[in-house]
Amino acid sequence: RQCRYNTKSNKQRIVKTPGGKLTFQAVKKASKGPKCGDCGKALIGLPRLRPMEYRRLKNREKRVSRAYGGSRCAKCVRTRIVRAFLIEEQKCVKQVLAEKLSAAKEPKAKKTKK
């Protein structure tokens, strides 16, 4: 390496070669790894690589075979699905209640006309 300063990208460690000599070995930066976009926890099943090394991976190695795989953790996906289901159920309940109210009002309206 040409850079002589102790910078973040220029870390080295001393390694003993098979011949018995001590030499410097360049150390790559440690990666933080992929995190869940909702809760911030580390994603399971994905390698901890530097951004440039992710480009070289195949798509099947970059994600998990699940909805939002490689972007959100399993717990957050589950809560998203449950939330969406409950919102749809709430819409159905509102519609049924509105129909009941309209059905209850119609007979009263007919009686008052007579």
Side-chain angles (χ1 to χ4, degrees), residues 1-109:
R1 295 243 174 146
Q2 299 300 314
C3 178
R4 297 290 174 222
Y5 298 106
N6 188 25
T7 60
K8 281 195 287 185
S9 62
N10 196 36
K11 296 292 181 191
Q12 297 166 334
R13 65 184 240 240
I14 298 171
V15 176
K16 192 177 240 182
T17 62
K21 282 167 69 175
L22 293 174
T23 59
F24 278 120
Q25 185 182 55
V27 178
K28 288 186 177 180
K29 284 186 182 180
S31 168
K32 288 188 173 182
K35 303 267 189 294
C36 174
D38 290 347
C39 64
K41 288 184 180 176
L43 292 177
I44 299 170
L46 301 177
R48 290 180 56 171
L49 301 173
R50 299 293 296 169
M52 188 63 194
E53 291 169 341
Y54 274 117
R55 285 189 191 176
R56 298 187 199 122
L57 291 182
K58 297 182 180 84
N59 277 343
R60 66 179 177 77
E61 295 168 333
K62 282 189 254 186
R63 60 179 60 110
V64 183
S65 58
R66 180 179 61 234
Y68 295 99
S71 170
R72 304 287 187 266
C73 68
K75 189 176 180 184
C76 292
V77 172
R78 188 181 302 125
T79 55
R80 277 178 180 228
I81 292 169
V82 169
R83 187 184 298 131
F85 173 75
L86 290 175
I87 288 170
E88 288 298 316
E89 283 292 307
Q90 190 68 28
K91 287 178 186 174
C92 293
V93 168
K94 277 185 181 179
Q95 188 178 357
V96 168
L97 287 175
E99 287 174 2
K100 278 188 180 179
L101 282 173
S102 64
K105 285 181 181 178
E106 284 177 11
K108 288 181 183 177

